[in-house]
Amino acid sequence: MATDIPNWIFLTLALMALFNAPQARPEAQHELLFFLSAGPTYHDVAPDDGPEDYEFFFDVDILYSYVNDRFRLLGEYIASTHELELERLQLGWQGGEKSIGWLGRFHVPSRHWNAIYHHGQFLQTTISRPFLEQFEDDGGVVPTHSTGLLFETAHKLEHTADLRAAFSFGAAPIIDDSELKPFDLLDPGSSNRAIADMRLAYLPDQLDENQLGLVLHWSDLEVDGSHTARQQGLRRVEQVSFGVYLDWRWREWRFLSSVAPVINRMKRQTHNQTDAFLSGYFQAEHEFRHDWTVFGRLEQTNNTSSSDYLELFPHSVTDRQMLGLRFDLAMQHALSLEVSRAQTPSDGDFEQYLLQWSAVFP
């Protein structure tokens, strides 16, 4: 969590003043968006140190982008009832018609869900995210943020097909207090190790977003010195994940799916130990009227009870069966409802009810 909020506010104002100055080149373009979401969450159980039986959340996601010839700037900041954090700050350079390199903090390319939805709740149909796609501070067990270098490119195939690739290398999160903690640009530390990610995507039609892809992730996760596991001899975890995903639209239907094995080499003071689990989800959405969408998702993770790595994240939702409904209002507002049966490694099964209002301004 970011702690130097005044510095971030100063940085934001300085950047906006710089890029809106009169001497800026006339072709420069910029955009400032505010994604808002709010609503209650109810669980039918409230275990010790687990999910609260009732919570109310309010999130503001501020997204700023700037384009000037080949130069790019992208920033994203979250202010909510449970966090204040600089999620992304990227400086980019367009090297060719379909190639761009980035420097800064970004979403790792191996998580397709985050590549299309980011942090803006209005953009995604559902309220919740699948276990494989969860952000670090929301129960994610595979890193979703990295700070370093990111390269994206595309290659036109025969007819209208496209092959897209993204590669990244940077500083990995650390395992801190039952969650992953990404490298913080506003409060940098020295214990972050390396992370590398890759995504290869095939699009049958480059003018359409239908795609299937292959993802690969590797990270070296340091365990914080104050963590109980560190005191018990666990020094770091070397994690490897590879998987496939599908994002497909057909008439009024959309299908999102991914499956990936996650292999964790637990490096202890006296010995090393390897465990693995397989996780996947399948989500279907159907727009039965112009402004109404019904959706559902099945998630399952095996070996949860025998994974020492998952024991470090006892309240992460590893399995879920969910149904929901979304109503899109005029002027970029939406109301969504989700009902699900969820499971965590430590809390067992419980029912979850989510209601959300979301919007984007302007």
Side-chain angles (χ1 to χ4, degrees):
M1 179 182 295
T3 57
D4 198 358
I5 304 305
N7 285 348
W8 163 244
I9 295 176
F10 175 78
L11 176 62
T12 302
L13 295 175
L15 288 173
M16 293 179 66
L18 172 64
F19 295 122
N20 286 280
Q23 65 269 22
R25 299 180 63 175
E27 65 269 23
Q29 301 177 3
H30 65 92
E31 187 173 30
L32 181 64
L33 298 175
F34 295 85
F35 291 92
L36 278 67
S37 60
T41 299
Y42 174 77
H43 308 87
D44 65 347
V45 296
D48 295 339
D49 300 323
E52 298 288 341
D53 57 348
Y54 178 82
E55 295 177 286
F56 185 86
F57 66 90
F58 180 75
D59 298 333
V60 180
D61 176 25
I62 305 171
L63 184 66
Y64 179 77
S65 63
Y66 174 84
V67 178
N68 191 342
D69 194 19
R70 296 192 175 190
F71 176 76
R72 305 287 187 271
L73 170 69
L74 178 64
E76 187 172 21
Y77 186 77
I78 290 286
S80 74
T81 49
H82 69 279
E83 69 170 329
L84 297 168
E85 189 169 4
L86 176 62
E87 298 290 352
R88 289 188 291 169
L89 185 60
Q90 306 171 218
L91 300 176
W93 185 263
Q94 187 89 30
E97 183 179 354
K98 292 188 175 183
S99 298
I100 185 170
W102 297 93
L103 172 67
R105 171 165 156 157
F106 45 81
H107 291 148
V108 297
S110 61
R111 306 265 62 85
H112 171 68
W113 185 288
N114 296 329
I116 55 177
Y117 293 134
H118 312 297
H119 292 261
Q121 285 293 111
F122 178 80
L123 297 176
Q124 64 184 47
T125 306
T126 63
I127 303 175
S128 63
R129 291 170 175 263
F131 171 62
L132 279 176
E133 316 290 359
Q134 283 284 13
F135 291 118
E136 293 93 345
D137 53 4
D138 287 328
V141 302
V142 179
T144 56
H145 293 87
S146 176
T147 302
L149 298 173
L150 169 66
F151 179 72
E152 299 174 299
T153 187
H155 178 69
K156 189 177 183 303
L157 303 177
E158 294 183 357
H159 305 294
T160 60
D162 226 11
L163 181 65
R164 299 180 184 177
F167 310 89
S168 72
F169 181 82
I174 62 173
I175 301 175
D176 175 52
D177 193 24
S178 299
E179 69 178 24
L180 293 175
K181 182 179 179 181
F183 182 85
D184 192 342
L185 289 173
L186 300 180
D187 185 21
S190 59
S191 59
N192 299 81
R193 293 179 175 267
I195 180 174
D197 288 85
M198 179 192 74
R199 181 177 73 247
L200 295 175
Y202 171 73
L203 287 75
D205 187 345
Q206 60 182 304
L207 301 179
D208 196 49
E209 289 304 312
N210 286 348
Q211 60 184 280
L212 52 93
L214 172 70
V215 293
L216 178 64
H217 163 82
W218 171 86
S219 59
D220 197 358
L221 308 172
E222 184 84 9
V223 179
D224 186 76
S226 61
H227 199 290
T228 303
R230 178 82 178 197
Q231 299 168 10
Q232 296 174 349
L234 181 62
R235 294 294 181 258
R236 55 194 179 93
V237 178
E238 187 174 346
Q239 184 177 86
V240 176
S241 174
F242 54 92
V244 294
Y245 73 89
L246 172 74
D247 184 354
W248 208 266
R249 292 182 184 271
W250 180 69
R251 296 183 180 178
E252 294 82 17
W253 288 90
R254 185 181 186 181
F255 304 100
L256 287 162
S257 183
S258 181
V259 61
V262 181
I263 303 168
N264 307 285
R265 190 180 184 192
M266 317 282 285
K267 299 194 173 183
R268 305 184 183 275
Q269 188 172 9
T270 58
H271 67 284
N272 296 335
Q273 178 185 355
T274 300
D275 74 26
F277 59 88
L278 177 69
S279 186
Y281 67 88
F282 178 81
Q283 178 170 307
E285 307 172 7
H286 178 63
E287 186 177 334
F288 63 92
R289 288 186 56 183
H290 175 69
D291 46 7
W292 288 90
T293 303
V294 62
F295 53 86
R297 185 171 69 241
L298 295 175
E299 302 177 51
Q300 187 169 351
T301 305
N302 70 350
N303 293 340
T304 55
S305 59
S306 60
S307 172
D308 289 345
Y309 179 73
L310 288 180
E311 287 184 3
L312 301 175
F313 311 91
H315 305 301
S316 297
V317 175
T318 55
D319 296 79
R320 187 194 301 267
Q321 301 86 44
M322 178 268 287
L323 289 174
L325 182 66
R326 170 173 167 140
F327 175 55
D328 282 275
L329 306 170
M331 300 300 293
Q332 303 185 110
H333 293 254
L335 290 175
S336 305
L337 173 68
E338 275 189 17
V339 178
S340 64
R341 186 73 176 175
Q343 181 177 349
T344 70
S346 64
D347 307 317
D349 295 340
F350 60 93
E351 294 180 3
Q352 186 178 61
Y353 305 89
L354 304 174
L355 179 65
Q356 174 185 270
W357 162 79
S358 61
V360 58
F361 298 96

